[in-house]
Amino acid sequence: MENFLDASRHKRRVLVVDDEMINRELLGAILENDYEVTKAENGQQAWELLNSEGTAFSLILLDLLMPVMDGFELMKLCFADETLKSIPVIVMTSEKSAEVKSIRMGAADFIAKPYDMPDVILARCQRIIEFNEDKTIIRYTEKDTLTGLYTKQYFDEYLRRLKADIDSEMDAVEIRIDRFHLIKELFGREEAHCLLRETAALIRRDLTASRGIACRTEDNSLLVYCEHRNDYEPLITGFQEELAQSSEIRGVNLRAGIHKYEDDSISLENRFERAKAACDRVCGQYETCTAFYSSELHRRSMYHQKLIGDMQDAIDNHDFMVYYQPKYQIQGDKPVLTSAEALIRWKHKELGMLSPGVFIPLFEENGLIRLIDQFVWREAAAQVQRWKEQYNISLPVSVNVSRIDIFDPELVQKLSALLTKYQLEPHELMLEITESAYADNADALIAAVEALRDRGFRIEMDDFGSGYSSLNMLTSIPIDVLKMDMKFVRNMFRDEKSMGLVRLVLDIAAFLEVPVVAEGVEEQRQLDKLKQMGCEIVQGYYFSPPLPADKMEALLRQNAV
Amino acid sequence: MVTIEKLKEFGANTEEGLARCYGSEALYIKLVNMIPKEGSFDALEQAVANQDLDKAFEAAHALKGVLGNLSLTPMYEKCSELTELLRAKKSVDYTPLVEELLNMRKKLCIICEE
């Protein structure tokens, strides 16, 4: 640690306050090799500088007798200020009596006038700065007991003192053990912590060969401030291999996000935030284990943050709209409109029409999708009621129930309340549940589906075949409709195997005695083939794209005639 | 042009002055060259003329610091004498003392302008 301090080439800032220009120039010349010197002509000027740049200064060299505001007055102000009082003051005076008075007021030391030789002045400045920094830093617990790295508080204070944010040769890095919570659950807390300790030891070993400092921040995250590398991949994969040798736990994935110095306008705190963002991106990925923060990544995360921030207002202002894509029963002579799927659209007030592919995964990730879902449920239920009242047509609409909704203990209650409010039968609001929810928590999904079906709702298994489908799931969850993922339809004419898969899904549905909805039907030959194979319901651009409510209404009226 | 030689002749402790400037002749000469423009001399003269001993003390005190730092010994000594008298508010005639100091300054100015 000490070596690292010595090795830091960053000049601390010293504020020289003296009304005599010759003195300021002389002191400036003495100090400027070791410090960045700022000069003020009197207490007032110094006070203004301190108020704007404050803790950027590591030391104040203060003359006492000055016009406008003298040194005593400035000391009084500084020592009464919560932040500024931490900056040590060395008083410059030729008066013995003033020396005592200054020290009593809180000055750290004094320099006599005429000045001592430069080396004496420099030594005094250095001693006071170091003493003051040690005093501040000692307040924090230095080491993290678990990993032996520094604590986050100590790490922050240390880098602040180093003025590390202006060091262009250092990287801000976050290293994380991917899916640490699962490791904890599977192998126990003790084993998981052992893994963290071993990772920390590897980082420490790496830092002994170069300048740097590391700390533990969250449960599974280690922050490293170290000399720049162009490629962290060898380092991290090397760590992984060593962990594989030493640890009982198999398949440990270390991930690192790195922020390379851009310019000194970005604070160190923000640099580590950006390293974290880069690390978030690379977590859960397999092809690579490190990522540098990039402006593209930054742009994307700012964009995401904007969407998240704008969402609630957008719901309130009806910038979200529900579109309806018709589904047709195709087994008769003529296709018959039987129902529709409600799909969300966002007409953003600044960004225009946004693709659901942009915001749905984002909101799924942070749970905000619940609000979107509830909005769609409300809108769709109200729409079904309007069509019933105006045209005496009951067109069931299916809405999405996201994974996170499944865990809502009030799910059945919320949906039932909508039926009551809009005077609908349960079959008029069909519920689409994605099969991937089964992988998350099978028991919760089964319980939720059973409760919903008991209330009379019809359940459609959405995106069937797109994820890790399990035949076991199909027998354990009572569903009413199977929605074949659109990829099956899109690829059905590619080769025999692809066609075979479509047949397989249809066979599974037949076995379960539920109808299949084929999504993504765009061509006549797809429709013909599906019909011939016994598929009952079809949805896709062949018949219609998703339509805004008024267009859907027109279609409905036309259909009624 | 001021040279170290001329300053020595003037009575300055140039070794000490240079040491304080890290041995840089250029810096030392530069700082000495600032003396002619040093405002505290005029402030001192004015304050003494107005019999304002507090102001005179402030000016003399400030000058003493500067002159000491540059090791301009004759001026520093004269200024120290003045400062102590003013601090004690001795009722003496300050004019001749100030006059002496100003004459030294004049002499230094001439050296600077030569």
Side-chain angles (χ1 to χ4, degrees):
Chain A
M1 174 70 113
E2 286 310 316
N3 295 338
F4 183 39
L5 240 186
D6 294 342
S8 90
R9 295 137 299 162
H10 296 298
K11 291 182 173 178
R12 285 160 176 75
R13 286 183 70 183
V14 173
L15 178 61
V16 169
V17 194
D18 195 313
D19 57 326
E20 289 294 338
M21 178 150 68
I22 293 173
N23 293 344
R24 290 198 302 272
E25 289 295 312
L26 181 55
L27 269 180
I30 292 172
L31 297 169
E32 73 188 2
N33 270 331
D34 297 270
Y35 301 99
E36 195 186 317
V37 181
T38 304
K39 296 166 189 159
E41 282 178 32
N42 57 54
Q44 182 63 38
Q45 252 188 28
W47 179 241
E48 280 160 20
L49 274 165
L50 285 166
N51 274 304
S52 60
E53 299 176 51
T55 48
F57 295 106
S58 297
L59 176 68
I60 302 171
L61 288 181
L62 184 63
D63 182 28
L64 288 176
L65 293 184
M66 288 180 292
V68 189
M69 184 195 287
D70 67 19
F72 290 118
E73 187 61 28
L74 181 69
M75 273 197 282
K76 227 186 271 170
L77 290 172
C78 284
F79 296 145
D81 186 289
E82 266 315 303
T83 15
L84 297 178
K85 74 176 176 195
S86 67
I87 308 173
V89 175
I90 296 181
V91 158
M92 302 180 291
T93 179
S94 53
E95 313 286 326
K96 281 279 164 219
S97 59
E99 286 171 5
V100 178
K101 187 180 172 191
S102 308
I103 301 284
R104 283 208 177 123
M105 278 183 79
D109 202 353
F110 54 84
I111 290 174
K113 275 185 188 173
Y115 299 153
D116 290 310
M117 288 303 111
D119 289 339
V120 178
I121 294 180
L122 284 172
R124 289 198 151 185
C125 290
Q126 192 191 346
R127 188 178 62 90
I128 293 297
I129 290 174
E130 277 176 10
F131 175 72
N132 191 59
E133 290 182 355
D134 288 349
K135 194 178 71 184
T136 319
I137 217 160
I138 237 155
R139 278 189 284 138
Y140 300 110
T141 316
E142 192 179 331
K143 293 282 172 72
D144 168 41
T145 47
L146 178 63
T147 58
L149 299 178
Y150 293 105
T151 61
K152 177 72 165 51
Q153 260 188 329
Y154 188 87
F155 179 84
D156 285 348
E157 179 62 21
Y158 190 83
L159 293 180
R160 196 177 72 77
R161 290 288 166 175
L162 269 186
K163 309 270 179 278
D165 45 347
I166 54 171
D167 196 329
S168 62
E169 286 165 28
M170 302 296 274
D171 289 339
V173 184
E174 174 159 339
I175 297 178
R176 205 183 297 162
I177 298 173
D178 202 8
R179 284 170 305 178
F180 190 66
H181 64 286
L182 287 180
I183 292 175
K184 251 184 175 167
E185 225 171 279
L186 286 168
F187 299 93
R189 208 177 139 85
E190 203 33 60
E191 278 297 315
H193 281 170
C194 194
L195 185 64
L196 202 57
R197 254 197 303 278
E198 280 166 20
T199 310
L202 292 172
I203 291 172
R204 248 202 328 270
R205 190 189 63 196
D206 179 63
L207 289 179
T208 51
S210 61
R211 281 195 312 138
I213 170 172
C215 76
R216 180 165 74 108
T217 164
E218 287 157 34
D219 202 17
N220 61 336
S221 289
L222 305 170
L223 300 185
V224 186
Y225 181 72
C226 58
E227 282 178 55
H228 174 68
R229 279 182 166 88
N230 281 324
D231 187 4
Y232 278 81
E233 211 69 23
L235 181 76
I236 300 298
T237 47
F239 282 180
Q240 273 183 182
E241 280 160 22
E242 288 199 50
L243 288 175
Q245 299 282 325
S246 63
S247 173
E248 293 290 304
I249 305 170
R250 292 282 159 259
V252 173
N253 292 316
L254 284 186
R255 294 291 178 261
I258 306 106
H259 181 264
K260 184 179 175 297
Y261 178 85
E262 290 170 74
D263 60 68
D264 58 17
S265 68
I266 305 161
S267 71
L268 202 62
E269 198 185 339
N270 282 336
R271 290 192 59 192
F272 277 105
E273 278 302 319
R274 291 177 177 196
K276 181 178 161 54
C279 195
D280 285 344
R281 198 189 58 161
V282 85
C283 273
Q285 285 192 20
Y286 291 93
E287 57 275 21
T288 174
C289 55
T290 63
F292 274 89
Y293 181 89
S294 69
S295 52
E296 161 59 20
L297 180 67
H298 181 62
R299 201 190 54 74
R300 215 178 52 183
S301 47
M302 294 297 273
Y303 180 69
H304 282 175
Q305 202 48 49
K306 179 171 175 53
L307 295 187
I308 290 167
D310 290 347
M311 194 203 77
Q312 187 61 54
D313 275 354
I315 287 184
D316 297 343
N317 298 336
H318 283 83
D319 293 339
F320 281 108
M321 290 167 295
V322 177
Y323 275 43
Y324 300 86
Q325 187 167 39
K327 299 185 213 175
Y328 286 83
Q329 162 61 257
I330 56 169
Q331 283 303 331
D333 293 343
K334 264 173 52 185
V336 180
L337 176 63
T338 58
S339 59
E341 178 180 1
L343 295 159
I344 188 78
R345 290 291 180 270
W346 186 355
K347 194 175 179 185
H348 193 281
K349 56 186 187 300
E350 296 155 42
L351 307 168
M353 210 63 169
L354 297 178
S355 158
V358 169
F359 61 87
I360 296 282
L362 176 67
F363 294 151
E364 273 175 347
E365 204 174 288
N366 60 24
L368 286 173
I369 193 72
R370 287 174 70 170
L371 299 177
I372 301 277
D373 284 347
Q374 286 169 24
F375 170 80
V376 174
W377 301 344
R378 265 195 320 272
E379 290 289 307
Q383 191 61 63
V384 173
Q385 184 197 31
R386 271 196 296 275
W387 286 332
K388 266 169 81 173
E389 281 178 355
Q390 288 175 8
Y391 310 109
N392 200 25
I393 298 171
S394 164
L395 185 78
V397 168
S398 53
V399 294
N400 195 52
V401 176
S402 296
R403 275 189 267 183
I404 191 164
D405 298 319
I406 299 293
F407 301 105
D408 181 356
E410 291 174 5
L411 176 64
V412 178
Q413 199 183 321
K414 278 176 185 158
L415 287 163
S416 300
L418 286 176
L419 296 185
T420 313
K421 183 173 178 190
Y422 297 105
Q423 298 166 311
L424 302 184
E425 294 299 320
H427 75 267
E428 290 173 309
L429 198 63
M430 299 189 292
L431 307 177
E432 296 194 2
I433 287 169
T434 165
E435 63 172 359
S436 50
Y438 185 82
D440 284 354
N441 187 333
D443 292 340
L445 181 66
I446 293 167
V449 166
E450 280 174 353
L452 289 166
R453 288 187 89 240
D454 285 348
R455 179 65 184 79
F457 285 107
R458 290 166 57 83
I459 308 297
E460 300 185 308
M461 177 58 65
D462 200 9
D463 303 328
F464 180 73
S466 67
Y468 300 97
S469 303
S470 145
L471 291 177
N472 185 39
M473 166 185 78
L474 291 172
T475 52
S476 53
I477 302 180
I479 55 162
D480 300 285
V481 177
L482 206 59
K483 289 193 86 173
M484 177 163 38
D485 193 72
M486 59 174 69
K487 280 198 285 289
F488 289 105
V489 176
R490 195 175 296 150
N491 297 332
M492 65 192 286
F493 288 106
R494 200 172 59 184
D495 52 33
E496 292 240 336
K497 263 189 198 158
S498 303
M499 187 63 83
L501 283 175
V502 174
R503 195 178 312 278
L504 187 63
V505 174
L506 290 166
D507 286 348
I508 289 169
F511 169 75
L512 295 171
E513 299 177 334
V514 296
V516 168
V517 176
E519 289 191 270
V521 175
E522 295 178 358
E523 301 168 10
Q524 179 78 50
R525 59 173 185 158
Q526 290 168 338
L527 176 71
D528 294 344
K529 188 69 188 171
L530 286 164
K531 183 176 176 180
Q532 183 211 325
M533 289 164 92
C535 176
E536 288 180 40
I537 303 162
V538 150
Q539 176 183 344
Y541 275 61
Y542 176 78
F543 286 114
S544 169
L547 302 169
D550 57 341
K551 293 249 172 63
M552 184 68 212
E553 196 171 302
L555 185 71
L556 210 57
R557 283 207 307 265
Q558 183 190 333
N559 215 62
V561 177
Chain B
M1 252 279 285
V2 188
T3 60
I4 298 296
E5 281 312 304
K6 284 181 190 170
L7 286 173
K8 252 186 203 160
E9 244 169 74
F10 180 74
N13 183 349
T14 52
E15 273 165 35
E16 191 187 84
L18 275 169
R20 212 171 268 124
C21 293
Y22 259 138
S24 161
E25 234 182 88
L27 175 63
Y28 186 44
I29 301 280
K30 177 187 155 196
L31 295 177
V32 170
N33 265 311
M34 287 163 85
I35 288 288
K37 282 164 262 156
E38 170 56 57
S40 293
F41 287 104
D42 303 329
L44 175 64
E45 193 180 12
Q46 196 63 49
V48 166
N50 296 342
Q51 309 240 318
D52 184 342
L53 296 192
D54 288 332
K55 274 240 166 70
F57 170 74
E58 276 174 29
H61 187 269
L63 277 177
K64 181 185 137 187
V66 171
L67 297 167
N69 280 336
L70 297 180
S71 300
L72 297 168
T73 318
M75 293 177 85
Y76 172 67
E77 281 169 358
K78 187 53 65 190
C79 198
S80 298
E81 188 188 337
L82 253 170
T83 307
E84 291 321 305
L85 288 170
L86 284 164
R87 186 201 306 277
K89 297 204 168 146
K90 288 270 162 63
S91 54
V92 293
D93 184 4
Y94 289 97
T95 324
L97 285 166
V98 172
E99 200 77 358
E100 274 180 67
L101 183 64
L102 292 175
N103 280 336
M104 289 186 213
R105 179 212 195 188
K106 232 175 255 164
K107 203 171 142 195
L108 189 66
C109 288
I110 292 166
I111 298 173
C112 286
E113 282 160 20
E114 266 171 7

